[in-house]
Amino acid sequence: MFDQQLLSIPGIKKLIGKLSGLAVLQALTIVLEAVFLARALVVVWQREKIAALVVPVLSFFVFFALRYLITRIESQITDNFADHAVDQLKEQLLQQEFRLGPRMVADVGSGHVVTLALEGLNQVQNYLDLIVLKTINMAIIPWIIVAYIFFVDWLSAVILLLMFPVIILFMVILGLSAKSKSDQQYAEFKQMANVFVDSIRGLKTLKLFGLSKKYGDNIYRVSENYRKSTMSVLKVALLSTFALDFFTTISIAIVAVLLGQALIVGSIGLLPALIILILCPDYFFPVRDYGDDYHATLDGKNALTEINRILVIPAPHSEVPLVDFQNWAKDSQLDVRDLNFTYPQADQPALSDLNFTLHGDSNVGIIGKSGAGKSTLLNVLGGWLQPDATEKDQPLVVDGQAVDSLAQPAWQKHISYIPQHPYIFAGTIAQNVAFYKPVADKAAIQQAVHQAGLDKFIAELPQGLETVIGEGGRGISGGQAQRIALARALLDTERTILLFDEPTAHLDLETEYELKQIMTKVFHNHLVFFSTHRLHWVSAMDYVLVMDQGRIVEQGTPAELKQKNGVYQELVNEIRGENNAE
Amino acid sequence: MQNKWQQDQWVRPNLKRYRKLLCLVFFLGVITILCGVGLMFVAGYLISRTATHPYNILVVYVPVLLTRAFGIGRPAFKYLERINSHNWVLKITSSLRKRLYVTLESSALFLSEQFQSGKLLGFLADDIDHLENFYLRTIFPIVVAYLTGIVLLIGLGIVSWPYALVMFVLFVIILVVIPLLSQSIQGATRVRQRELVQDSYQRLTDATFGIADWMISGRETEFVQTVRKQDEPAGKLNRKANLFEWNRDFVVKLLFGLMIMVTIGWAALALTGHQESANYATAFTLGIFPLMDSFGAVPQAAEEGPMYQESLNRLNDLSRQVKPQPVKPEHLPAPQSLQKIHFENVSFHYPKTDTDIIQQVSFTVPAGQSLAIIGPSGVGKTTLLELLTGSLVPTQGQVWFDQLPAHDLQAVADQWFSVLDQQPFLFNTTIMNNVRIGNEQATDDDVKKAIQEVGLADLVNELPDGLETDVSENGVRLSGGQRQRLALARILLQDNPVVVLDEPTVGLDPITEQQLITTINRVLAGKTMIWVTHHLQGLNHVNQIIFLENGHLKMQGTPAELYRTNERYRNLYRMDLGE
């Protein structure tokens, strides 16, 4: 029942120790509170003087207050622990995200990563807040109370003791049968919620086809059907709570009646009888408390499992470090030899047997249909994906050094990456441009901004370079975002390798045209990898890799490819279709 | 606040509409608590009474019976209460969902960009869930506790009014003063917490999207710190809120301690006249304990109330924005009789702005011909389409469908226009159902024929369940080109005279794009086509091109004319072809 993962959280043993101590103390205050309350009630019952009440009533209050003071302290200790543990987990999760990089984040799902890091961790916190404390209380408090009752009246103690396994048994039986049903119900519920969101999202479509009015009744009907099926499941599912409640209250009733009979025959005094009666609800309280929150903690348990799963995903890493690589230079050379890459859990390799050699400041176009492996190749070149391990030679050779992977700081500090939607973080334009090189001076930033063709855009802004963009700031167009990413790459002159992944796919023709004038200027003095399916870029390249189904099916200079009249030319013809303007 | 509540259209009407079931839920809730109180009360009395050694167990026959009745009654009523309250809330949810749908459906908003993003829709769907919790976690516990309090006070008032008065004061402190205090101190904190969570969502998403840049920038510590620093205010706020809650709960417990002491004191003063009345001292005292659970939950419930305010506000704001349904004019011509569409000096600006997004635009499209609208992003192409379909009304000039202004067609738009846009929406159902949306009367053969025409027959035949295959949510199982083709099949079934193509090929690779364009031209031949695009590919077949810039018509003519006479067009055309 106790989740094994919890034991690996640092500091949990200390917490268990502390809470156990407090639970023992609390059990004692519960007993003493009951004893003094019973005494006070006996004084009233015996119609003694009011003065006789002072000591027992005040003592009762003191222990009553102490009892709840302990509860309060327990909450605080547990919460501090959970806070700290969740903090640590968050840090680990972020570091892991950083290590895994874009490709892996995309695999796990960026939305999922964010949800886990926020909501998931919240649920974990809730789980830690509840589960440890309630388990310990259940494991300690009832037993101390029942032990005390045993000394007062063994028969009552036996009844209470017998009830405990009955309660647990019923909880388990009903819980199990209800669980499978409610799991199924939960799935239905999810589906129902999806149908609802689906129809709201598709409202425009429904309206266009004149169906939107009719659909409103459909939503109501589906929702009502769902209600009916849910209710039939709930009727069973809630029985477990009913059983728990039923056995606790009925035990109290039985004990009360039994005590009454014992009192009539005089085999027990009023004081012990009252003490037992007062202690009865407290005996059952921890198990009820645990049962009430049990379901609430399930989400947290699952979230913790999921986080632990992500934390152990292997990050791309190099076994063979790249030494003595200063920077990409005119005489640098990259050889790719029999490079293969397979995604985890995939049957087919996403890249198979790639071979090519590049020198100096080549501008390399990577073209091919969607799904040909263009992005995967860029991710391998960026060091975010680990090529398949080979028995023979290492697949990548940088300036004569064979390495197993480009997940190398020495390599990565020289690359820039410009995807379709470049990352613009919340901050000023200057900060965004200086992202790779936060210490850059203003003149250098202005120079980079100028090169990226942003002068006119910035001149129109009242705050110029200090304009806040990104989340919560001024919105910028896709074309401007590309230019800012370009300026970012240009500012850090150490970054001589540029990776472009479909940077203009979503831009309109004129914006693309303008951007092309700027970009082609930048291409000189850089090693450029440019993945695109807009073929006009090919004329700006001096080497082209044509990809299809994870393989390089053709490579060479644009002129060579044209001459060959092979796959490349086929692609060109297909794209032009039947176009003949003249 | 008061006023808002008066105008509320989301919570209040439902409270009224299902009030019978609601009253039952409250009644069961109160009875449940009273059974708990009753059990301890009677048990206390039973023990005190038997301690006087009555000669026979029959003397306490009634209390014995009552003990058992309350012992069984409490769990039974609690069970019934939970079943009924869930039933009630789910009923409400059904009608809230329908209400949200109907509101959105009639809202003039629904064509706006904001809605298309789907983000706001997600919020609204969540808001409905939040309202569920509002009922279950705030309204129910508070109302039940109040009703119980009133019942108990009336009972105590009959026994002894001075005691009832003291208890009244204590009840008021626990049920009214502390909850109000909680709400005023914590309410704002809660709302602020929610905002902070929203913020960190946004920022973390941002950082995650930029993970490649962070990674190659080598600024790991900074990345972690940037994200972590955003947590600090939320963490601080959480600790503050928790501290308040712990202390408050402790104070509430102390008040219960006080209540017990007061009761013992009152019993010692008032009930010790006879042994018979002294037997009740224990009963009254023990009866207080079961209240700790239900009354103790009220401050927390009250505190969470303002959290739902935002959801409620958003929904109510939506209700206020509802515009009246378009009226269907009498004697509308048949859609098939259309001769020409004519933009006559059309200008448009949004209310509360002066800048015309569309300025003095005129052109004519004869029925059965095609027009392409090109130009950079954000120059009003979409606005032009909304004017065409009548969802926007020109501020100057008029859009004519023969002799009829476009907005007169609003009520029957679904019989005039078909729209193919960037991301056609596919419902989470079968391919068959998705296509049949185009025309619900279509036979299976009609659907098959449409699918054949748009070139999806091979794909469908390969699928294990054929036409009955589910497209999973939002059509993710199909590629972009296939989704467009599916949407095109719908349009074929719908068979309207005017087809609006709003950049349907954006995001497709050029080969898929070219193939799709060919198909569109083939299957839609003979229809009036208005085609918004920013690629020149595939425009050779259109009858007319207009080039929009800053709301003006910059160029206008047939593709061949423009290629011959306009250098700018020629440059773009060449680049687009990859020359």
Side-chain angles (χ1 to χ4, degrees), chain B residues 131-155:
Chain B
L131 285 190
E132 266 178 50
N133 281 333
F134 180 53
Y135 287 116
L136 280 177
R137 302 189 44 157
T138 298
I139 294 190
F140 289 176
I142 292 180
V143 172
V144 167
Y146 273 44
L147 290 176
T148 313
I150 292 169
V151 171
L152 287 176
L153 284 174
I154 291 173

PDB file of all heavy atoms in Angstrom, chain B residues 131-155:
ATOM      1  N   LEU B 131     -17.235  25.621 -12.452  1.00  0.00           N
ATOM      2  CA  LEU B 131     -18.536  25.872 -11.837  1.00  0.00           C
ATOM      3  C   LEU B 131     -19.032  24.620 -11.109  1.00  0.00           C
ATOM      4  O   LEU B 131     -19.649  24.717 -10.054  1.00  0.00           O
ATOM      5  CB  LEU B 131     -19.555  26.322 -12.885  1.00  0.00           C
ATOM      6  CG  LEU B 131     -19.393  27.752 -13.385  1.00  0.00           C
ATOM      7  CD1 LEU B 131     -20.584  28.145 -14.226  1.00  0.00           C
ATOM      8  CD2 LEU B 131     -19.229  28.736 -12.238  1.00  0.00           C
ATOM      9  N   GLU B 132     -18.744  23.445 -11.661  1.00  0.00           N
ATOM     10  CA  GLU B 132     -19.101  22.198 -10.977  1.00  0.00           C
ATOM     11  C   GLU B 132     -18.534  22.208  -9.562  1.00  0.00           C
ATOM     12  O   GLU B 132     -19.219  21.924  -8.591  1.00  0.00           O
ATOM     13  CB  GLU B 132     -18.471  21.005 -11.712  1.00  0.00           C
ATOM     14  CG  GLU B 132     -19.358  20.347 -12.722  1.00  0.00           C
ATOM     15  CD  GLU B 132     -18.628  19.207 -13.419  1.00  0.00           C
ATOM     16  OE1 GLU B 132     -18.038  18.358 -12.734  1.00  0.00           O
ATOM     17  OE2 GLU B 132     -18.651  19.181 -14.658  1.00  0.00           O
ATOM     18  N   ASN B 133     -17.234  22.532  -9.490  1.00  0.00           N
ATOM     19  CA  ASN B 133     -16.596  22.565  -8.177  1.00  0.00           C
ATOM     20  C   ASN B 133     -17.155  23.646  -7.282  1.00  0.00           C
ATOM     21  O   ASN B 133     -17.199  23.499  -6.073  1.00  0.00           O
ATOM     22  CB  ASN B 133     -15.097  22.766  -8.323  1.00  0.00           C
ATOM     23  CG  ASN B 133     -14.420  21.481  -8.702  1.00  0.00           C
ATOM     24  OD1 ASN B 133     -14.932  20.398  -8.386  1.00  0.00           O
ATOM     25  ND2 ASN B 133     -13.301  21.571  -9.376  1.00  0.00           N
ATOM     26  N   PHE B 134     -17.550  24.744  -7.907  1.00  0.00           N
ATOM     27  CA  PHE B 134     -18.110  25.852  -7.145  1.00  0.00           C
ATOM     28  C   PHE B 134     -19.336  25.368  -6.362  1.00  0.00           C
ATOM     29  O   PHE B 134     -19.511  25.663  -5.184  1.00  0.00           O
ATOM     30  CB  PHE B 134     -18.482  26.981  -8.107  1.00  0.00           C
ATOM     31  CG  PHE B 134     -19.069  28.185  -7.442  1.00  0.00           C
ATOM     32  CD1 PHE B 134     -18.412  28.807  -6.398  1.00  0.00           C
ATOM     33  CD2 PHE B 134     -20.276  28.718  -7.879  1.00  0.00           C
ATOM     34  CE1 PHE B 134     -18.948  29.927  -5.790  1.00  0.00           C
ATOM     35  CE2 PHE B 134     -20.813  29.842  -7.279  1.00  0.00           C
ATOM     36  CZ  PHE B 134     -20.147  30.441  -6.238  1.00  0.00           C
ATOM     37  N   TYR B 135     -20.169  24.577  -7.035  1.00  0.00           N
ATOM     38  CA  TYR B 135     -21.340  24.026  -6.359  1.00  0.00           C
ATOM     39  C   TYR B 135     -20.929  23.041  -5.271  1.00  0.00           C
ATOM     40  O   TYR B 135     -21.331  23.145  -4.119  1.00  0.00           O
ATOM     41  CB  TYR B 135     -22.234  23.286  -7.360  1.00  0.00           C
ATOM     42  CG  TYR B 135     -22.986  24.188  -8.290  1.00  0.00           C
ATOM     43  CD1 TYR B 135     -22.762  24.160  -9.647  1.00  0.00           C
ATOM     44  CD2 TYR B 135     -23.942  25.067  -7.795  1.00  0.00           C
ATOM     45  CE1 TYR B 135     -23.462  24.979 -10.514  1.00  0.00           C
ATOM     46  CE2 TYR B 135     -24.649  25.896  -8.655  1.00  0.00           C
ATOM     47  CZ  TYR B 135     -24.410  25.845 -10.009  1.00  0.00           C
ATOM     48  OH  TYR B 135     -25.089  26.658 -10.846  1.00  0.00           O
ATOM     49  N   LEU B 136     -20.119  22.050  -5.667  1.00  0.00           N
ATOM     50  CA  LEU B 136     -19.809  20.942  -4.760  1.00  0.00           C
ATOM     51  C   LEU B 136     -18.971  21.376  -3.569  1.00  0.00           C
ATOM     52  O   LEU B 136     -19.137  20.874  -2.472  1.00  0.00           O
ATOM     53  CB  LEU B 136     -19.081  19.836  -5.517  1.00  0.00           C
ATOM     54  CG  LEU B 136     -19.951  18.896  -6.338  1.00  0.00           C
ATOM     55  CD1 LEU B 136     -19.093  17.903  -7.098  1.00  0.00           C
ATOM     56  CD2 LEU B 136     -20.924  18.133  -5.432  1.00  0.00           C
ATOM     57  N   ARG B 137     -18.042  22.295  -3.809  1.00  0.00           N
ATOM     58  CA  ARG B 137     -17.072  22.608  -2.762  1.00  0.00           C
ATOM     59  C   ARG B 137     -17.367  23.879  -2.003  1.00  0.00           C
ATOM     60  O   ARG B 137     -16.867  24.076  -0.904  1.00  0.00           O
ATOM     61  CB  ARG B 137     -15.675  22.674  -3.362  1.00  0.00           C
ATOM     62  CG  ARG B 137     -15.323  21.374  -4.031  1.00  0.00           C
ATOM     63  CD  ARG B 137     -13.898  21.338  -4.422  1.00  0.00           C
ATOM     64  NE  ARG B 137     -13.030  21.844  -3.379  1.00  0.00           N
ATOM     65  CZ  ARG B 137     -11.766  21.528  -3.294  1.00  0.00           C
ATOM     66  NH1 ARG B 137     -11.230  20.719  -4.159  1.00  0.00           N
ATOM     67  NH2 ARG B 137     -11.015  22.039  -2.342  1.00  0.00           N
ATOM     68  N   THR B 138     -18.137  24.786  -2.599  1.00  0.00           N
ATOM     69  CA  THR B 138     -18.403  26.031  -1.878  1.00  0.00           C
ATOM     70  C   THR B 138     -19.876  26.140  -1.483  1.00  0.00           C
ATOM     71  O   THR B 138     -20.195  26.234  -0.304  1.00  0.00           O
ATOM     72  CB  THR B 138     -17.973  27.241  -2.720  1.00  0.00           C
ATOM     73  OG1 THR B 138     -16.577  27.158  -2.944  1.00  0.00           O
ATOM     74  CG2 THR B 138     -18.283  28.533  -2.013  1.00  0.00           C
ATOM     75  N   ILE B 139     -20.741  26.100  -2.469  1.00  0.00           N
ATOM     76  CA  ILE B 139     -22.149  26.369  -2.157  1.00  0.00           C
ATOM     77  C   ILE B 139     -22.751  25.304  -1.236  1.00  0.00           C
ATOM     78  O   ILE B 139     -23.323  25.624  -0.191  1.00  0.00           O
ATOM     79  CB  ILE B 139     -22.971  26.488  -3.465  1.00  0.00           C
ATOM     80  CG1 ILE B 139     -22.497  27.720  -4.228  1.00  0.00           C
ATOM     81  CG2 ILE B 139     -24.458  26.593  -3.154  1.00  0.00           C
ATOM     82  CD1 ILE B 139     -23.353  28.091  -5.404  1.00  0.00           C
ATOM     83  N   PHE B 140     -22.605  24.029  -1.598  1.00  0.00           N
ATOM     84  CA  PHE B 140     -23.248  22.973  -0.809  1.00  0.00           C
ATOM     85  C   PHE B 140     -22.809  22.952   0.652  1.00  0.00           C
ATOM     86  O   PHE B 140     -23.656  23.006   1.548  1.00  0.00           O
ATOM     87  CB  PHE B 140     -23.042  21.595  -1.460  1.00  0.00           C
ATOM     88  CG  PHE B 140     -23.833  21.403  -2.726  1.00  0.00           C
ATOM     89  CD1 PHE B 140     -23.696  20.261  -3.472  1.00  0.00           C
ATOM     90  CD2 PHE B 140     -24.724  22.368  -3.172  1.00  0.00           C
ATOM     91  CE1 PHE B 140     -24.413  20.078  -4.649  1.00  0.00           C
ATOM     92  CE2 PHE B 140     -25.451  22.206  -4.336  1.00  0.00           C
ATOM     93  CZ  PHE B 140     -25.290  21.055  -5.075  1.00  0.00           C
ATOM     94  N   PRO B 141     -21.493  22.860   0.927  1.00  0.00           N
ATOM     95  CA  PRO B 141     -21.112  22.766   2.346  1.00  0.00           C
ATOM     96  C   PRO B 141     -21.561  23.972   3.156  1.00  0.00           C
ATOM     97  O   PRO B 141     -21.982  23.834   4.306  1.00  0.00           O
ATOM     98  CB  PRO B 141     -19.586  22.667   2.322  1.00  0.00           C
ATOM     99  CG  PRO B 141     -19.164  22.629   0.921  1.00  0.00           C
ATOM    100  CD  PRO B 141     -20.343  22.763   0.034  1.00  0.00           C
ATOM    101  N   ILE B 142     -21.494  25.164   2.541  1.00  0.00           N
ATOM    102  CA  ILE B 142     -21.862  26.368   3.289  1.00  0.00           C
ATOM    103  C   ILE B 142     -23.349  26.352   3.604  1.00  0.00           C
ATOM    104  O   ILE B 142     -23.766  26.535   4.755  1.00  0.00           O
ATOM    105  CB  ILE B 142     -21.472  27.645   2.519  1.00  0.00           C
ATOM    106  CG1 ILE B 142     -19.950  27.760   2.448  1.00  0.00           C
ATOM    107  CG2 ILE B 142     -22.066  28.882   3.186  1.00  0.00           C
ATOM    108  CD1 ILE B 142     -19.452  28.977   1.718  1.00  0.00           C
ATOM    109  N   VAL B 143     -24.173  26.108   2.586  1.00  0.00           N
ATOM    110  CA  VAL B 143     -25.621  26.142   2.803  1.00  0.00           C
ATOM    111  C   VAL B 143     -26.028  25.079   3.830  1.00  0.00           C
ATOM    112  O   VAL B 143     -26.802  25.351   4.761  1.00  0.00           O
ATOM    113  CB  VAL B 143     -26.373  25.934   1.462  1.00  0.00           C
ATOM    114  CG1 VAL B 143     -27.858  25.763   1.722  1.00  0.00           C
ATOM    115  CG2 VAL B 143     -26.138  27.096   0.531  1.00  0.00           C
ATOM    116  N   VAL B 144     -25.477  23.874   3.678  1.00  0.00           N
ATOM    117  CA  VAL B 144     -25.840  22.795   4.606  1.00  0.00           C
ATOM    118  C   VAL B 144     -25.442  23.155   6.037  1.00  0.00           C
ATOM    119  O   VAL B 144     -26.223  22.979   6.982  1.00  0.00           O
ATOM    120  CB  VAL B 144     -25.196  21.463   4.154  1.00  0.00           C
ATOM    121  CG1 VAL B 144     -25.291  20.422   5.251  1.00  0.00           C
ATOM    122  CG2 VAL B 144     -25.858  20.959   2.888  1.00  0.00           C
ATOM    123  N   ALA B 145     -24.248  23.717   6.212  1.00  0.00           N
ATOM    124  CA  ALA B 145     -23.801  24.085   7.563  1.00  0.00           C
ATOM    125  C   ALA B 145     -24.716  25.164   8.145  1.00  0.00           C
ATOM    126  O   ALA B 145     -25.089  25.113   9.319  1.00  0.00           O
ATOM    127  CB  ALA B 145     -22.356  24.571   7.512  1.00  0.00           C
ATOM    128  N   TYR B 146     -25.087  26.148   7.316  1.00  0.00           N
ATOM    129  CA  TYR B 146     -25.955  27.215   7.805  1.00  0.00           C
ATOM    130  C   TYR B 146     -27.323  26.670   8.237  1.00  0.00           C
ATOM    131  O   TYR B 146     -27.821  27.004   9.312  1.00  0.00           O
ATOM    132  CB  TYR B 146     -26.145  28.278   6.713  1.00  0.00           C
ATOM    133  CG  TYR B 146     -25.062  29.326   6.717  1.00  0.00           C
ATOM    134  CD1 TYR B 146     -23.732  28.958   6.864  1.00  0.00           C
ATOM    135  CD2 TYR B 146     -25.358  30.669   6.591  1.00  0.00           C
ATOM    136  CE1 TYR B 146     -22.728  29.902   6.881  1.00  0.00           C
ATOM    137  CE2 TYR B 146     -24.354  31.636   6.603  1.00  0.00           C
ATOM    138  CZ  TYR B 146     -23.042  31.241   6.748  1.00  0.00           C
ATOM    139  OH  TYR B 146     -22.057  32.177   6.769  1.00  0.00           O
ATOM    140  N   LEU B 147     -27.881  25.831   7.381  1.00  0.00           N
ATOM    141  CA  LEU B 147     -29.204  25.287   7.702  1.00  0.00           C
ATOM    142  C   LEU B 147     -29.140  24.471   8.991  1.00  0.00           C
ATOM    143  O   LEU B 147     -29.995  24.598   9.877  1.00  0.00           O
ATOM    144  CB  LEU B 147     -29.721  24.421   6.552  1.00  0.00           C
ATOM    145  CG  LEU B 147     -30.104  25.173   5.272  1.00  0.00           C
ATOM    146  CD1 LEU B 147     -30.497  24.208   4.174  1.00  0.00           C
ATOM    147  CD2 LEU B 147     -31.240  26.152   5.554  1.00  0.00           C
ATOM    148  N   THR B 148     -28.084  23.645   9.103  1.00  0.00           N
ATOM    149  CA  THR B 148     -27.926  22.848  10.315  1.00  0.00           C
ATOM    150  C   THR B 148     -27.819  23.755  11.538  1.00  0.00           C
ATOM    151  O   THR B 148     -28.447  23.506  12.573  1.00  0.00           O
ATOM    152  CB  THR B 148     -26.666  21.972  10.228  1.00  0.00           C
ATOM    153  OG1 THR B 148     -26.657  21.337   8.975  1.00  0.00           O
ATOM    154  CG2 THR B 148     -26.636  20.940  11.333  1.00  0.00           C
ATOM    155  N   GLY B 149     -27.007  24.807  11.386  1.00  0.00           N
ATOM    156  CA  GLY B 149     -26.824  25.751  12.490  1.00  0.00           C
ATOM    157  C   GLY B 149     -28.165  26.315  12.941  1.00  0.00           C
ATOM    158  O   GLY B 149     -28.455  26.373  14.139  1.00  0.00           O
ATOM    159  N   ILE B 150     -28.992  26.698  11.974  1.00  0.00           N
ATOM    160  CA  ILE B 150     -30.290  27.292  12.303  1.00  0.00           C
ATOM    161  C   ILE B 150     -31.178  26.276  13.029  1.00  0.00           C
ATOM    162  O   ILE B 150     -31.751  26.569  14.078  1.00  0.00           O
ATOM    163  CB  ILE B 150     -30.986  27.807  11.025  1.00  0.00           C
ATOM    164  CG1 ILE B 150     -30.199  29.011  10.479  1.00  0.00           C
ATOM    165  CG2 ILE B 150     -32.430  28.214  11.306  1.00  0.00           C
ATOM    166  CD1 ILE B 150     -30.612  29.439   9.094  1.00  0.00           C
ATOM    167  N   VAL B 151     -31.234  25.060  12.498  1.00  0.00           N
ATOM    168  CA  VAL B 151     -32.050  24.016  13.128  1.00  0.00           C
ATOM    169  C   VAL B 151     -31.595  23.782  14.570  1.00  0.00           C
ATOM    170  O   VAL B 151     -32.410  23.726  15.503  1.00  0.00           O
ATOM    171  CB  VAL B 151     -31.972  22.696  12.318  1.00  0.00           C
ATOM    172  CG1 VAL B 151     -32.622  21.562  13.088  1.00  0.00           C
ATOM    173  CG2 VAL B 151     -32.615  22.867  10.956  1.00  0.00           C
ATOM    174  N   LEU B 152     -30.280  23.663  14.752  1.00  0.00           N
ATOM    175  CA  LEU B 152     -29.760  23.403  16.097  1.00  0.00           C
ATOM    176  C   LEU B 152     -30.088  24.542  17.049  1.00  0.00           C
ATOM    177  O   LEU B 152     -30.481  24.335  18.196  1.00  0.00           O
ATOM    178  CB  LEU B 152     -28.250  23.185  16.045  1.00  0.00           C
ATOM    179  CG  LEU B 152     -27.800  21.850  15.437  1.00  0.00           C
ATOM    180  CD1 LEU B 152     -26.282  21.789  15.355  1.00  0.00           C
ATOM    181  CD2 LEU B 152     -28.323  20.673  16.263  1.00  0.00           C
ATOM    182  N   LEU B 153     -29.926  25.791  16.550  1.00  0.00           N
ATOM    183  CA  LEU B 153     -30.173  26.941  17.420  1.00  0.00           C
ATOM    184  C   LEU B 153     -31.639  27.005  17.835  1.00  0.00           C
ATOM    185  O   LEU B 153     -31.949  27.334  18.995  1.00  0.00           O
ATOM    186  CB  LEU B 153     -29.762  28.240  16.719  1.00  0.00           C
ATOM    187  CG  LEU B 153     -28.256  28.470  16.668  1.00  0.00           C
ATOM    188  CD1 LEU B 153     -27.930  29.693  15.830  1.00  0.00           C
ATOM    189  CD2 LEU B 153     -27.669  28.606  18.066  1.00  0.00           C
ATOM    190  N   ILE B 154     -32.528  26.681  16.897  1.00  0.00           N
ATOM    191  CA  ILE B 154     -33.951  26.675  17.261  1.00  0.00           C
ATOM    192  C   ILE B 154     -34.197  25.640  18.355  1.00  0.00           C
ATOM    193  O   ILE B 154     -34.844  25.906  19.376  1.00  0.00           O
ATOM    194  CB  ILE B 154     -34.823  26.376  16.016  1.00  0.00           C
ATOM    195  CG1 ILE B 154     -34.743  27.563  15.048  1.00  0.00           C
ATOM    196  CG2 ILE B 154     -36.275  26.119  16.425  1.00  0.00           C
ATOM    197  CD1 ILE B 154     -35.430  27.318  13.726  1.00  0.00           C
ATOM    198  N   GLY B 155     -33.590  24.453  18.166  1.00  0.00           N
ATOM    199  CA  GLY B 155     -33.729  23.395  19.181  1.00  0.00           C
ATOM    200  C   GLY B 155     -33.214  23.851  20.537  1.00  0.00           C
ATOM    201  O   GLY B 155     -33.877  23.699  21.568  1.00  0.00           O
TER     202      GLY B 155
END
